Amino acid sequence: MKYTLNYFFSLVLLLVFVVGTAQETKKKDSIPPKTERYGIRFGLDMVKLARSFYEKDYRGLELVGDYKLMRKHYIAVEIGNEKKTTDDEQLNFTTEGTYIKFGFDYNAYKNWIGMENMLYVGMRYGISSFSQTLNNYEIYNPNTYFGENLVLESGEKFDGLSAQWLEVIAGIKAEVFKNVYVGFSCRVNYLITNKKPETFDNLHIPGYNRTYNGKFGAGFNYTVSYFLPLYKSTVKAKREVKK
């Protein structure tokens, strides 16, 4: 009888151990794998939109978008239209045209699980097609008796102008609501080609901003965008090798 009870208790302990091990294995197997969403993000540059309301000599709109190609890499594009009247020292002219910028972004930020923020660097190649309208210009008056320089009205329009440039970008994008992002970026531009009128320089190029009589320029934008998820992909966990 004693050996029967010992055998019975041993069998019970063995069953408890097997059941506990099986439940623990099931818990480990039931942990869902980490996934990342892939999709399209599109929005507006709020700086150009705001300037259209508070600057009487400016009208502009820029659409922005990116597509998550890999975990850290994004394809990006920006399309816009601008009309700006510039009052320079001797010239007053209106620039009007469209532009497109396309390139890539690299996200250097390591997100926690469930986060999809960006701290990124990137590049763009910009192409602009525009026209310049010379509104008026000043002629130097050597006769100081009559005072100021002569201002002559013109209205001459120069069509078929164009420019191409490169942009180096650094910026951030953060999710403030579900699928809604705000972002800010700074840009340094380098002008590659610049087709300009014969009588004066292109002091403003749509999408590039002011040229400052040189090859380099700068700009920034503030965007609000919406992320449209298309599919999810499982992230493979890195195995730690223990010595």
Side-chain angles (χ1 to χ4, degrees):
M1 185 68 177
K2 180 179 179 181
Y3 292 106
T4 302
L5 291 175
N6 289 337
Y7 176 76
F8 176 76
F9 284 119
S10 299
L11 182 61
V12 171
L13 290 175
L14 179 61
L15 289 173
V16 171
F17 175 77
V18 171
V19 171
T21 304
Q23 289 179 345
E24 185 67 23
T25 303
K26 184 177 180 181
K27 287 181 180 180
K28 291 181 179 179
D29 293 340
S30 63
I31 296 176
K34 181 182 177 182
T35 60
E36 287 192 359
R37 301 188 303 170
Y38 288 73
I40 300 173
R41 181 166 33 207
F42 53 90
L44 292 171
D45 179 7
M46 303 306 295
V47 174
K48 289 182 173 59
L49 187 62
R51 287 180 63 188
S52 299
F53 288 97
Y54 68 78
E55 286 189 24
K56 65 177 183 178
D57 294 330
Y58 179 86
R59 294 291 181 273
L61 179 67
E62 181 177 283
L63 305 177
V64 300
D66 61 54
Y67 174 74
K68 187 175 181 180
L69 190 63
M70 293 183 284
R71 288 191 63 195
K72 296 289 186 179
H73 297 82
Y74 295 74
I75 297 174
V77 64
E78 297 154 4
I79 301 174
N81 177 276
E82 283 187 305
K83 181 179 180 180
K84 177 176 173 57
T85 298
T86 302
D87 192 8
D88 199 44
E89 293 181 358
Q90 294 180 323
L91 300 173
N92 182 287
F93 59 93
T94 300
T95 306
E96 184 174 8
T98 59
Y99 62 90
I100 180 172
K101 296 186 279 187
F102 54 90
F104 70 90
D105 293 328
Y106 175 79
N107 185 15
Y109 186 73
K110 186 176 181 181
N111 284 294
W112 297 349
I113 296 177
M115 294 177 61
E116 294 174 325
N117 298 327
M118 292 181 66
L119 176 63
Y120 66 94
V121 292
M123 292 190 70
R124 300 284 189 277
Y125 189 84
I127 302 173
S128 181
S129 176
F130 56 98
S131 65
Q132 302 273 22
T133 301
L134 182 59
N135 301 318
N136 56 64
Y137 59 95
E138 290 186 6
I139 296 179
Y140 174 69
N141 183 11
N143 192 341
T144 57
Y145 178 80
F146 292 101
E148 299 180 354
N149 296 334
L150 298 177
V151 178
L152 301 179
E153 300 295 329
S154 175
E156 186 178 3
K157 188 174 183 180
F158 302 89
D159 293 315
L161 307 178
S162 62
Q164 299 181 34
W165 66 92
L166 283 176
E167 292 186 1
V168 178
I169 302 172
I172 59 172
K173 288 181 182 177
E175 187 176 20
V176 291
F177 303 105
K178 184 174 178 60
N179 296 334
V180 177
Y181 290 78
V182 296
F184 177 83
S185 69
C186 297
R187 295 141 185 267
V188 177
N189 309 333
Y190 179 77
L191 198 59
I192 299 175
T193 65
N194 183 18
K195 184 180 179 181
K196 52 190 177 181
E198 296 180 358
T199 54
F200 63 95
D201 200 356
N202 289 323
L203 300 182
H204 182 85
I205 298 174
Y208 181 91
N209 298 322
R210 191 171 176 87
T211 60
Y212 295 101
N213 298 321
K215 290 285 187 179
F216 289 94
F220 66 94
N221 72 351
Y222 181 85
T223 60
V224 176
S225 55
Y226 180 82
F227 178 70
L228 180 63
L230 299 179
Y231 65 95
K232 293 182 179 180
S233 179
T234 302
V235 179
K236 295 181 180 180
K238 296 181 179 180
R239 296 181 179 178
E240 295 183 358
V241 180
K242 296 182 179 181
K243 296 183 180 180

